[in-house]
């Protein structure tokens, strides 16, 4: 392949990636570790009045967004379909009906073009996006994998709250911890509703919390009791796991307490205290997971990576523990197709066999399955 | 002209069909067609798995290339949402990539296509098509049996199997009509007839009929390809089940 840009010393396979696991229809194209285009069409506004993502509404929106998005990426990248070397698609985890639209479209593209198809893991793709040039992790060097030795990822979004250890992005990823109930972003949405702050809750709470006292209310940090934590040598049952349902209920109690006394709840203080509780427990457990599992580079991904307090506290604590923090730019942190393409490009480069056409969407695909085997 | 048909409104099916050149002009064409290949699933849950490879194999076995197709015709339902979308997005994406026109047809017409001759032979003037809409409901439409062919006169609609007449014609009209004919309405073809024998009278031999891609193409040819819908929006007929959340439950008492 020609290398017309001196700033891009290495190009690689051109991969088109499709993401439809939740409410965003994302399609992106990469050439190796270079991002060519990334288009995302979101049905977020249609979910607003429900206070959360409605799977059927998201699925309907994916169907209508798919062809316009395909048109847009090719036009934006100035590429023809024939120039695409491989196709990658999120096959899970995610909402079944939503995944099914992207998976069906990707299979049709693979049939139409005869190009290899990779069914990839949504969560690992969130990490894969960090390998794109300019995203923070070192670009792969010729002859080397370019992946830091002790790489971990903290993924925080409306659908996920996970800590991963990434040995080899194309084959060896381990789940260290995950939420047992709500995702952090979901807790934000629910608390925002409680405080009449609208949807999505993350940005709304972040904004209001800026003027509040984070120490005004002492709210619980889920799964931090000794029996869950144990010690580094003898870890408890949920040392790196999260739970936000108790926190949500605690916030409700605070608000109802004010209501019962006929007083207005101090929204800013409640929002700030809630946000502090989330950021504190998420980063504290992430630091434990890092230091106890040889992780010295941590990638922060997912939509909640936009949250100012989570970013600040993660940065502060990473620095204290000598951990390098990498946060891709926000458009690549939220769900998108470029991350799927980026992981696909790594799989192609590593010579991993494509998935083929026989797979189906798997709403609970484990992170250990980076790409679905044929 | 080659037409690639697909339908995922119930089971998943595909067919590659060669049609006479006069059909390509868009005029109605009820003559025989040449089915080069066809596939269908037994189950109603594997659409996203089988659709693309199934269509690929149809073309490969016929030695045909995608861009040679004259049209891709997809069933628009009505049918359960997730499966329905799998077929429509497959058809749209193939058409987009190959530069082939994609059109749509009502999936229930495929069942009418399969059953209308037997309905005429039995002397019926009307045929009801009823497919499984789950929740004790059916997707349904009524077809007038013509000397040659048939014509959809009402539907598609969705509603309780036990009240299919009212679903199609409204409460009053259905009550009036039932005094003249069978209280259970015209003979019915499709899975609905097998699932709800108390509510629908089956047209013998057609109670298990499923919408099939090859019948869908035949039905579209009969009406004329020019009449096939260029808009391939799915016929959901139901809203999503989403409800605006009620006031929150109290955490304290």
């Amino acid at each position: 392949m020609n290398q017309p840009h001196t700033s891009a010393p290495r190009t690689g396979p051109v991969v088109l990636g499709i993401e439809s696991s939740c409410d965003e229809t994302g399609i992106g194209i990469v050439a190796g570790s270079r991002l060519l285009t990334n288009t995302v069409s979101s049905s977020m506004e249609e979910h607003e009045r429900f206070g959360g993502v409605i799977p059927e509404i998201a699925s309907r929106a994916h169907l209508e967004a798919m062809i316009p998005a395909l048109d847009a990426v090719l036009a934006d990248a100035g590429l023809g379909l024939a120039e695409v070397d491989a196709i990658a698609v999120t096959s899970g985890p995610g909402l079944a009906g939503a995944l099914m639209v992207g998976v069906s479209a990707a299979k049709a593209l693979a049939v139409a073009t005869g190009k290899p198809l990779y069914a990839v893991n949504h969560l690992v793709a969130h990490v894969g996006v960090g390998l794109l040039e300019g995203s923070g992790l070192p670009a792969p060097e010729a002859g080397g994998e370019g992946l830091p030795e002790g790489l971990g990822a903290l993924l925080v979004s409306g659908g996920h709250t996970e800590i991963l250890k990434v040995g080899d992005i194309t084959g060896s990823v381990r789940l260290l911890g995950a939420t047992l109930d709500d995702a952090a972003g979901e807790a934000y949405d629910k608390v925002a509703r409680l405080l009449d702050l609208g949807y999505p809750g993350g940005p709304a709470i972040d904004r209001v919390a800026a003027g509040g006292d984070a120490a005004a209310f002492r709210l619980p940090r889920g799964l931090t009791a000794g029996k869950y934590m144990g010690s580094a040598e003898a870890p408890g049952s949920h040392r790196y796991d999260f739970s936000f349902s108790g926190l949500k209920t605690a916030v409700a109690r605070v608000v109802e307490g004010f209501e019962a006394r006929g007083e207005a709840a101090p929204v800013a203080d409640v929002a700030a205290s809630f946000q502090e509780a989330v950021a504190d427990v998420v980063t504290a457990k992430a630091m434990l997971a890092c230091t106890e599992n040889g992780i010295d580079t941590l990638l922060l991904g997912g939509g909640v990576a936009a949250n100012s307090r989570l970013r600040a506290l993660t940065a502060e604590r990473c620095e204290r523990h000598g951990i390098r923090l990498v946060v891709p730019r926000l458009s690549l942190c939220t769900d998108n197709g470029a991350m799927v393409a980026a992981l696909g490009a790594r799989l192609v480069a590593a010579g991993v066999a494509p998935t083929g056409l026989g797979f189906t969407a798997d709403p609970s695909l484990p992170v250990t399955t980076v790409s679905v085997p044929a | 002209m080659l037409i690639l048909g697909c339908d995922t409104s119930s089971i998943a099916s595909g067919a590659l069909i060669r049609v006479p050149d006069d059909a390509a002009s868009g005029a109605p064409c009820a003559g025989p067609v040449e089915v080069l290949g066809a596939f269908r699933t037994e189950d109603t849950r594997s659409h996203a798995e089988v659709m693309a490879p199934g269509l690929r194999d149809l073309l490969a076995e016929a030695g045909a290339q995608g861009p040679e197709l004259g049209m891709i015709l997809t069933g628009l339902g009505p049918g359960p949402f997730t499966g329905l979308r799998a077929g429509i997005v497959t058809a749209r994406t193939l058409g987009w990539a190959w530069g082939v026109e994609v059109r749509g047809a009502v999936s229930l017409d495929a069942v009418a296509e399969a059953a209308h001759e037997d309905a005429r032979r039995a002397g019926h003037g009307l045929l009801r098509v009823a497919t499984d809409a789950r929740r004790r409901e059916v997707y349904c439409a009524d077809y007038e049996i013509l000397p040659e062919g048939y014509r959809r006169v009402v539907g598609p609609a969705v509603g309780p199997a036990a009240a299919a007449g009212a679903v199609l014609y409204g409460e009053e009209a259905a009550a009036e009509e039932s005094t003249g004919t069978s209280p259970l309405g015209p003979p019915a073809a499709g899975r609905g007839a097998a699932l709800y024998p108390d509510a629908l009278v089956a047209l013998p031999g057609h109670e298990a009929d499923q919408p099939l891609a090859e019948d869908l193409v035949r039905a579209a040819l009969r009406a004329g390809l020019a009449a096939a819908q260029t808009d391939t929006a799915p016929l959901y007929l139901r809203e999503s089940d989403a409800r605006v959340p009620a006031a929150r439950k109290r955490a304290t008492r």
Side-chain angles (χ1 to χ4, degrees), chain A residues 94-272:
Chain A
L95 303 168
L99 289 166
M100 224 66 98
V101 178
V103 164
S104 295
K107 286 188 179 188
L109 267 189
V111 165
T113 59
K115 301 299 163 90
L117 174 60
Y118 290 83
V120 308
N121 188 297
H122 175 83
L123 297 172
V124 182
H126 269 299
V127 184
V129 82
L131 298 169
L132 289 174
E133 283 171 20
S135 284
L137 291 174
E141 303 295 328
E145 277 305 291
L147 202 63
E149 276 285 302
L151 176 63
L154 173 60
L155 305 178
V156 192
S157 72
H160 303 281
T161 311
E162 277 110 8
I163 307 171
L164 311 182
K165 160 108 192 193
V166 183
D168 165 9
I169 190 126
T170 65
S172 167
V173 179
R174 200 154 54 91
L175 183 68
L176 297 179
T179 180
L180 303 188
D181 39 58
D182 290 347
E186 208 176 342
Y188 265 92
D189 288 339
K190 289 173 177 172
V191 167
R193 216 178 129 237
L194 201 68
L195 298 174
D196 285 326
L197 294 176
Y199 175 85
I205 287 181
D206 204 0
R207 199 165 45 242
V208 172
D213 174 8
F217 301 96
R218 175 68 201 170
L219 296 169
R221 274 64 168 158
L223 301 178
T224 51
K227 61 177 173 176
Y228 298 122
M229 298 297 287
S231 62
E233 297 72 32
S237 51
H238 297 296
R239 188 167 177 81
Y240 310 135
D241 289 332
F242 306 104
S243 166
F244 297 104
S245 65
L247 171 59
K248 187 182 63 191
T249 305
V251 173
R253 284 174 186 275
V254 167
V255 172
E256 285 165 19
F258 281 97
E259 285 172 355
R261 294 191 294 276
E263 299 168 26
V267 172
D269 287 350
V270 175

Side-chain angles (χ1 to χ4, degrees), chain A residues 49-50 54 56-57 59-60 63-64 70-71 74 100 104-105 107-108 111-112 193-194 253 256 259 357-358, chain B residues 48-49 52 56 81 85-86 89 92-94 96-98 234 236 238 240 242-246 248 250-252:
Chain A
R49 66 198 177 102
F50 302 106
I54 304 297
E56 177 58 23
I57 291 175
S59 303
R60 290 183 181 195
L63 176 64
E64 298 320 317
L70 283 169
D71 273 328
L74 289 190
M100 224 66 98
S104 295
K107 286 188 179 188
V111 165
R193 216 178 129 237
L194 201 68
R253 284 174 186 275
E256 285 165 19
E259 285 172 355
L357 298 175
Chain B
E49 235 166 305
R56 173 197 60 186
F81 308 152
R85 275 189 289 268
V89 79
R92 285 183 185 176
T93 308
L94 288 174
W96 175 82
W98 283 330
Y236 290 122
R238 284 181 183 139
S240 70
R243 267 179 300 190
V244 175
R248 73 185 142 89
R250 295 187 65 83
T252 48

Side-chain angles (χ1 to χ4, degrees), chain B residues 115-185:
Chain B
H116 75 102
E117 282 178 10
D118 284 344
R120 186 180 306 103
R121 224 168 277 141
H124 300 299
L126 209 55
L127 171 71
R128 179 161 293 169
V129 171
T131 60
D132 184 12
R134 301 173 186 166
R135 310 177 187 176
R136 297 202 60 78
E137 293 193 342
V138 290
Y139 296 113
C140 53
D142 274 5
Y143 294 79
E144 182 187 1
I145 303 298
L146 305 173
E148 275 183 53
Y150 53 89
R151 182 176 68 93
R152 178 158 30 88
V153 288
V154 60
V158 65
V167 167
L168 287 168
Y169 299 97
E171 298 281 347
E172 283 180 25
E176 244 171 67
E177 189 205 29
S178 68
T179 57
T181 62
S182 155
L184 296 181

Side-chain angles (χ1 to χ4, degrees), chain B residues 6 39 41 47 61 69 104 108 110 117 120 142 145 196 207:
Chain B
C6 65
F39 71 89
T41 59
H47 307 90
E61 282 158 22
L69 294 171
L108 301 181
E117 282 178 10
R120 186 180 306 103
D142 274 5
I145 303 298
Y196 307 107
E207 54 274 73

